[in-house]
Amino acid sequence: MRLSTRNQLAGTIAEVDIGAVMATVKVRLAGGDQVITSSITKEAAENLGLEVGQDATVFIKSTEVTIGVA
């Protein structure tokens, strides 16, 4: 699969919480303890057959990136 999205982060699915309409998926990034959380439709989660422990790639496409400091 070739995509134009440049921000691609490899990891493993750590948690899948499927609700009535939406699903929350947590992916632990490879090589660390960082976790990315994504909200997707319930239908998409079921169609992808997402399971804890499954390898996954997080694709991030955004028109804005915000940085904050203390």
Side-chain angles (χ1 to χ4, degrees):
M1 166 177 34
R2 293 174 34 182
L3 299 171
S4 63
T5 306
R6 293 184 181 194
N7 300 311
Q8 301 180 21
L9 307 171
T12 303
I13 296 176
E15 183 179 320
V16 179
D17 181 19
I18 298 180
V21 177
M22 298 295 291
T24 302
V25 182
K26 294 186 179 191
V27 177
R28 183 171 310 284
L29 300 183
D33 290 330
Q34 294 178 316
V35 175
I36 299 283
T37 302
S38 177
S39 295
I40 63 175
T41 64
K42 173 184 177 180
E43 182 179 8
E46 292 173 344
N47 286 343
L48 289 170
L50 301 180
E51 296 180 10
V52 172
Q54 181 179 21
D55 289 339
T57 302
V58 175
F59 299 93
I60 301 172
K61 181 89 174 177
S62 177
T63 58
E64 180 179 330
V65 177
T66 303
I67 298 173
V69 296

